[in-house]
Amino acid sequence: ATGVSGSPEGGTLRLSTIGEDIPMVEVMEEEEKEVTKEERAEEASERPMTALSELGSFHKLILAQAIKEYKGGKTEIGLFHGKGSATMKNGDSYNGEFAHGLFHGKGRYLWAKTGVVYDGEWNMCKIQGKGRYDWPDGSWYEGGVLNGLRDGYGIFCRASQIAFCLYEGHFKKGKRHGEGKLYYTENKDSYYDGGWKDGMRHGKGTIKYNSGNVYKGSWIS
């Protein structure tokens, strides 16, 4: 079976609920369509997390110009420093730590236009380290971040009212990459557990479909 999330390269499929009169290839194709649709929806639900990554190249003076109101500590020459809160001219807000005029340390940023919230570590205005994103629809991500993107180990949960999925594993530049387990249902009866590459199933793994069928083998992205 083929799909946007990789195709089985070789392995075994255990049939538990399918009659002998239904060809195995057809069974795999239909079930693969379902989990592929879930993975495509999961990718589509990933709102941009890089809205502030460009601030990493901002000079402290430019950031200061983007801030409408600031309350908190300052250096002797007037740079934002220590704990403070800032309201941006576009309505966004930041509450947390500053260092020499830049977001640095731990802080919470709210995008006013989308309602997305990031709460976690910053490095000279870059979203970097460990943190958590929350979306208004109830979706969330918690784990490693680099330049505003999911990177390293983390957990992403898409809200059930959209189409539930839960991924626990590694990311690289915002995509599933490395070892990880993606659950397609809230009761965790259907899942893929194995390797990923650039957001697609790749390498050795096991997939269990809603029907109870299990495929173990390798995927190529």
Side-chain angles (χ1 to χ4, degrees), residues 29 71 98 105 140 143 162 164 176 181 188 200 213 216:
E29 287 181 347
K71 296 179 181 179
F98 291 78
W140 56 271
I162 303 172
F164 177 85
R176 296 183 295 268
K181 192 170 186 177
K188 298 185 177 181
M200 301 172 69
N213 294 335
K216 294 183 179 180

Side-chain angles (χ1 to χ4, degrees), residues 62-190:
I62 299 177
L63 177 60
Q65 292 175 345
I67 293 177
K68 178 181 180 181
E69 181 181 3
Y70 172 79
K71 296 179 181 179
K74 293 184 179 181
T75 65
E76 293 181 355
I77 59 174
L79 296 176
F80 308 141
H81 195 79
K83 293 184 177 181
S85 61
T87 301
M88 314 298 285
K89 292 180 179 178
N90 65 359
D92 294 356
S93 60
Y94 173 84
N95 191 340
E97 299 175 330
F98 291 78
H100 304 289
L102 299 173
F103 303 149
H104 187 79
K106 292 184 178 181
R108 181 182 185 275
Y109 195 97
L110 167 65
W111 283 266
K113 186 176 181 179
T114 63
V116 177
V117 174
Y118 170 76
D119 194 347
E121 298 177 341
W122 296 75
N123 184 9
M124 306 304 284
C125 268
K126 292 183 180 181
I127 295 176
Q128 183 173 315
K130 292 183 179 180
R132 177 181 172 110
Y133 280 96
D134 284 280
W135 288 266
D137 60 25
S139 300
W140 56 271
Y141 168 77
E142 187 167 0
V145 285
L146 180 64
N147 293 326
L149 295 174
R150 297 172 299 182
D151 203 274
Y153 180 82
I155 301 174
F156 173 75
C157 181
R158 188 179 62 211
S160 57
Q161 61 263 36
I162 303 172
F164 177 85
C165 80
L166 175 68
Y167 176 79
E168 301 176 351
H170 290 83
F171 294 86
K172 184 177 181 180
K173 295 182 179 179
K175 295 182 178 293
R176 296 183 295 268
H177 193 94
E179 294 295 314
K181 192 170 186 177
L182 178 62
Y183 296 98
Y184 302 105
T185 56
E186 289 187 78
N187 59 17
K188 298 185 177 181
D189 282 345
S190 179

Side-chain angles (χ1 to χ4, degrees), residues 53-59 62 124-126:
S53 61
E54 67 272 15
L55 288 180
S57 61
F58 273 18
H59 187 276
I62 299 177
M124 306 304 284
C125 268
K126 292 183 180 181

